[in-house]
Amino acid sequence: MILSLIRRHLTVYLRDRWAVFFSFLSVFIILALFMVFLRSMVMNWYSDALDQSLAEIMINHWVLSGVLMVATVTVPLGFLGIMVQDRETKAINDFYVAPVNRGHIVISYLLSALIIGVVLGILNLAVGQVYMLLVYGDLLPVWDWLRLLGLIVISTALFSSVFFYVVTLLKTSNSHGTLSTLIGTLIGFLAGIYVVIGGLPSFTQTLLSLLPTMHMASAFRLIYMDNALIQMAEHGMNVEAFSLNMGVRLEFFGLSPGLWALIAMALVWTAVFVALSLMRVRKMKR
Amino acid sequence: MKSIEVNNLVKSYGDVRAVRGISFAVEEGAFFALLGPNGAGKSTTVEILATLLAKDEGTVSIMGETLDRDDAKIRRHLGVVFQYGTLDNDLTVRENLAARGAFYGLSGQALQTRIAELDKLIDFTSYLDRRIRTLSGGQRRKAEIARALLHQPRVLMLDEPTTGLDPKSRKDIWALVLSIKKDTAMTILLTTHYMEEVLDADHVVILHEGVIRAEDSAENLRLAYARDTLKIMPKQGLLKKLDQDGVAYERINATVHVPLKNPFEGVDLVGRHREAIESFEIVKASMDDVFLNITGASLEEGTS
């Protein structure tokens, strides 16, 4: 039964081309800004320390990992507009009068958000890799692919559960649209892409470092840039300073969480929001 | 057997008492109508019966199953057509039916067979593979009815199925409702604020401000609560004769209106005073008159 609901939700979402487009709008904006100035700006910072080809790979890996993370935020949020719309138009009543468990109906939206986030995340990863292969002849090792895949699942689960909880509080598509615009606008900052985290005042750095968006951005960069960082170290670069400046590693309250610590925090956040969501679902039963 | 039994149903929204202790029963296979203006409590009653809304008080049973205890079983028996569209605009009619059919275990060949059966009743082949967004109001409503009938429910609830449709579509939908009544053994519960729609019902409940004001067959309600009227264009001397007979009448412009207990009373009166009558007509009481006389309000005047 849940599968039928998921199939319906995903078909409805994918048929609405504009909804899909807007789910990726932040990604497109980041890529556009990257091409217009971000790329050359960061390249200039490190042009003395790195040779051109390594700098190119480094900056591309940095932005592609950011783009991967951003899509795990915006795609579930965009998709969940379907749930808000179904409740606003009362189309959901059509499911409620069928012999389907109400909890299953509500949970089907959460699972659909996770599925579409992961599928489009994989597509996002593949497109980035094809670009890197065609332009730079650079491809990540299979192990990194698998690790990124796992992280896409974790990050999508985290933001699906956060936004699932949030949208259960929304009543209209209008409010969902406003929220999507807000998140879409802020996400480039919340993930340290529009402005690298090292360029911000220290209080802001600490504040941003506490957010799950920054944790996940760091986690994606740690994997995506793993090889590039090793090569950069071999070229005698101060990788530690670079990592902190570019948000590959975070530092707050004297801590600098590694990949596993970031994943553990993501899982805790996911568990908290799934629990909160289930409490909401229970309340939503009639 | 009763297919729906409602006892002392109460529902409030904050301070607004939408349904105030109503009771009624619907025979299996009957065509049952809830008539009332907007705000009478019709949709609230349907939403409670359809397991969508929690009641405050009272008991409800549908096909012998108790509401709140056996909701899943009740839902298997129910087909509901809401007054608002619930189908997905960007999916075709067939895709919508497939998505909903899956809830009842209908898929593959069984689904296509059922769609073909419904086509005989609904005649929707020409737009079965068109997206809902591209359909006319009448076609959409037919698709909604097809969705509600997909799993062959025992009880079909139609919540103001013709509201918002143009006259031609209303006529089409009404013809479809009547053929469902004729061709299936389904119990039909209709809510409406169109008086002409309840004339075909076996039993009519008149709901006003959350209270049942009257219930019976449409014809009995008309006999009990409204009178046919004999409208006469009089010649000289008619009024004097009516006064002599002790007949109550009312003069409206140039005509004389005589309320009748039944049409034959009018025929007798016309026969007795034929020479003093220029012309006449007997106007049947409408359900609107019934509603007006029972509630003191017009069906069009309800608060929404």
Side-chain angles (χ1 to χ4, degrees), chain B residues 74-85:
Chain B
I74 287 176
R75 289 181 196 128
R76 288 215 163 265
H77 295 309
L78 290 184
V80 185
V81 177
F82 299 99
Q83 50 180 298
Y84 39 85

Side-chain angles (χ1 to χ4, degrees), chain A residues 166-207:
Chain A
V166 174
V167 301
T168 59
L169 306 170
L170 304 181
K171 293 222 166 12
T172 65
S173 293
N174 243 345
S175 50
H176 174 264
T178 308
L179 177 72
S180 300
T181 308
L182 189 72
I183 297 292
T185 309
L186 290 178
I187 192 68
F189 295 101
L190 300 179
I193 301 172
Y194 293 162
V195 181
V196 297
I197 192 164
L200 295 168
S202 89
F203 170 75
T204 316
Q205 283 189 33
T206 308
L207 196 68

Side-chain angles (χ1 to χ4, degrees), chain A residues 36-72:
Chain A
V36 173
F37 74 94
L38 271 175
R39 181 176 172 281
S40 55
M41 190 176 81
V42 179
M43 288 279 282
N44 280 342
W45 295 342
Y46 296 104
S47 57
D48 295 339
L50 295 170
D51 66 53
Q52 178 73 15
S53 67
L54 186 55
E56 291 267 9
I57 286 176
M58 176 277 291
I59 187 66
N60 277 295
H61 280 201
W62 180 77
V63 82
L64 286 175
S65 49
V67 156
L68 271 185
M69 181 272 157
V70 165
T72 66

Side-chain angles (χ1 to χ4, degrees), chain A residues 70-120:
Chain A
V70 165
T72 66
V73 175
T74 56
V75 171
L77 176 57
F79 166 80
L80 286 166
I82 301 274
M83 179 170 153
V84 180
Q85 188 181 303
D86 285 348
R87 291 174 65 207
E88 184 182 22
T89 62
K90 296 190 179 178
I92 202 167
N93 281 353
D94 207 23
F95 308 144
Y96 285 160
V97 294
V100 185
N101 181 301
R102 283 187 177 220
H104 290 180
I105 293 170
V106 182
I107 294 301
S108 68
Y109 290 99
L110 176 60
L111 292 176
S112 302
L114 178 64
I115 291 168
I116 195 69
V118 169
V119 169
L120 294 182

Side-chain angles (χ1 to χ4, degrees), chain B:
Chain B
M1 182 190 168
K2 308 278 188 224
S3 61
I4 303 174
E5 281 188 281
V6 174
N7 285 305
N8 196 29
L9 185 67
V10 175
K11 176 71 189 175
S12 299
Y13 300 101
D15 292 338
V16 181
R17 294 169 67 211
V19 176
R20 308 178 184 190
I22 64 172
S23 303
F24 60 84
V26 183
E27 293 290 336
E28 191 167 358
F31 183 11
F32 184 93
L34 278 174
L35 175 71
N38 291 335
K42 306 186 300 289
S43 292
T44 299
T45 305
V46 165
E47 291 203 348
I48 292 170
L49 265 49
T51 75
L52 289 172
L53 198 62
K55 58 183 167 51
D56 294 341
E57 284 172 42
T59 57
V60 174
S61 79
I62 294 175
M63 300 310 298
E65 311 288 357
T66 306
L67 188 78
D68 289 343
R69 198 186 65 198
D70 308 314
D71 286 5
K73 287 181 189 159
I74 287 176
R75 289 181 196 128
R76 288 215 163 265
H77 295 309
L78 290 184
V80 185
V81 177
F82 299 99
Q83 50 180 298
Y84 39 85
T86 58
L87 295 180
D88 294 317
N89 282 328
D90 287 323
L91 304 191
T92 65
V93 177
R94 194 190 296 275
E95 286 170 331
N96 268 292
L97 294 179
R100 272 55 173 187
F103 301 154
Y104 304 91
L106 264 179
S107 62
Q109 194 50 49
L111 175 72
Q112 297 312 322
T113 306
R114 182 64 189 140
I115 289 176
E117 284 170 11
L118 286 171
D119 184 49
K120 286 184 193 143
L121 188 69
I122 295 172
D123 188 22
F124 59 0
T125 309
S126 61
Y127 52 91
L128 199 49
D129 292 306
R130 276 172 53 194
R131 292 189 182 188
I132 299 292
R133 189 179 294 287
T134 67
L135 303 183
S136 71
Q139 288 171 331
R140 281 181 197 213
R141 200 50 59 92
K142 283 186 176 182
E144 299 270 356
I145 293 174
R147 187 267 303 146
L149 295 177
L150 202 56
H151 57 292
Q152 297 176 287
R154 307 269 299 271
V155 177
L156 177 65
M157 293 185 181
L158 301 163
D159 192 9
E160 304 199 6
T162 61
T163 298
L165 297 180
D166 61 82
K168 161 85 172 62
S169 300
R170 268 183 70 187
K171 214 171 147 192
D172 285 353
I173 294 297
W174 199 246
L176 173 58
V177 171
L178 293 182
S179 58
I180 294 169
K181 181 195 172 194
K182 189 164 95 24
D183 298 344
T184 70
M186 229 173 273
T187 303
I188 300 177
L189 180 115
L190 167 83
T191 77
T192 182
H193 59 258
Y194 293 121
M195 59 215 169
E196 64 269 28
E197 290 183 349
V198 304
L199 296 177
D200 297 303
D202 302 314
H203 196 80
V204 181
V205 159
I206 293 184
L207 203 58
H208 185 58
E209 294 174 344
V211 176
I212 292 179
R213 294 299 180 90
E215 63 173 308
D216 208 327
S217 68
E219 191 52 33
N220 285 346
L221 285 172
R222 204 156 54 183
L223 288 173
Y225 293 99
R227 295 200 165 176
D228 296 346
T229 305
L230 174 64
K231 286 189 184 175
I232 303 170
M233 185 61 77
K235 286 184 183 169
Q236 198 70 30
L238 178 68
L239 297 182
K240 199 174 170 188
K241 289 173 190 290
L242 292 179
D243 288 338
Q244 282 167 359
D245 283 2
V247 173
Y249 62 87
E250 192 181 359
R251 291 189 67 178
I252 297 178
N253 298 328
T255 58
V256 175
H257 290 202
V258 181
L260 303 171
K261 288 196 185 78
N262 61 63
F264 294 107
E265 194 186 20
V267 173
D268 291 346
L269 191 147
V270 170
R272 277 203 312 278
H273 304 299
R274 191 171 176 163
E275 71 290 350
I277 293 173
E278 181 76 44
S279 65
F280 75 95
E281 63 173 325
I282 294 175
V283 180
K284 292 278 279 177
S286 71
M287 284 307 289
D288 206 17
D289 298 327
V290 173
F291 194 83
L292 189 67
N293 289 336
I294 292 174
T295 66
S298 157
L299 276 166
E300 305 300 323
E301 280 174 4
T303 49
S304 51

